[in-house]
Amino acid sequence: MNVAQSLKSLSAYPVPSATLQDIAEGAGLSIDTELTQELRKSSEFRRAKAGVYIFLSEAPNVQQNGISYSFSDGERNRLRSRGLAILEELGDTSDTGVSFGYQGEDL
């Protein structure tokens, strides 16, 4: 099994190949790399998994070959939470969706 096959196996949703490639390369992986136990535990692969979960949390409902793929709001929230939890474990909070700002008169 290679990286792309493993990432695709996270869900039955039809994630486009270009999306998988973008997620994997963004995490520092090649989609054609053979998946080993060592690679599976690496921060790069875990970051790619988080990327797929976050993608799925925002993915549109689709119908393909007579099969519908959709997520409820609860499922979307769980997918996003799972992805963000992985990123938090890795110390990468760049995609938490939390913004900080100043409001008021006193700092």
Side-chain angles (χ1 to χ4, degrees):
M1 178 182 291
N2 62 28
V3 169
Q5 292 166 328
S6 180
L7 293 176
K8 193 171 213 120
S9 73
L10 295 175
S11 172
Y13 186 91
V15 179
S17 296
T19 300
L20 288 175
Q21 183 174 356
D22 185 52
I23 289 170
E25 288 177 359
L29 298 170
S30 169
I31 59 171
D32 298 322
T33 302
E34 197 65 28
L35 193 63
T36 62
Q37 286 298 337
E38 183 177 311
L39 182 58
R40 191 179 297 272
K41 294 177 185 177
S42 72
S43 60
E44 292 84 4
F45 183 74
R46 293 175 61 216
R47 189 169 285 113
K49 276 180 64 171
V52 171
Y53 287 133
I54 291 170
F55 168 81
L56 290 170
S57 76
E58 300 168 352
N61 296 332
V62 297
Q63 184 170 353
Q64 180 176 323
N65 297 327
I67 300 172
S68 295
Y69 299 93
S70 63
F71 298 109
S72 68
D73 288 341
E75 289 170 320
R76 290 181 186 282
N77 289 336
R78 282 189 296 278
L79 287 164
R80 183 162 186 80
S81 293
R82 182 179 288 175
L84 293 176
I86 293 170
L87 291 177
E88 190 174 315
E89 286 174 13
L90 296 171
D92 182 358
T93 57
S94 62
D95 189 46
T96 61
V98 176
S99 58
F100 297 93
Y102 173 73
Q103 183 177 1
E105 295 178 17
D106 298 325
L107 184 59

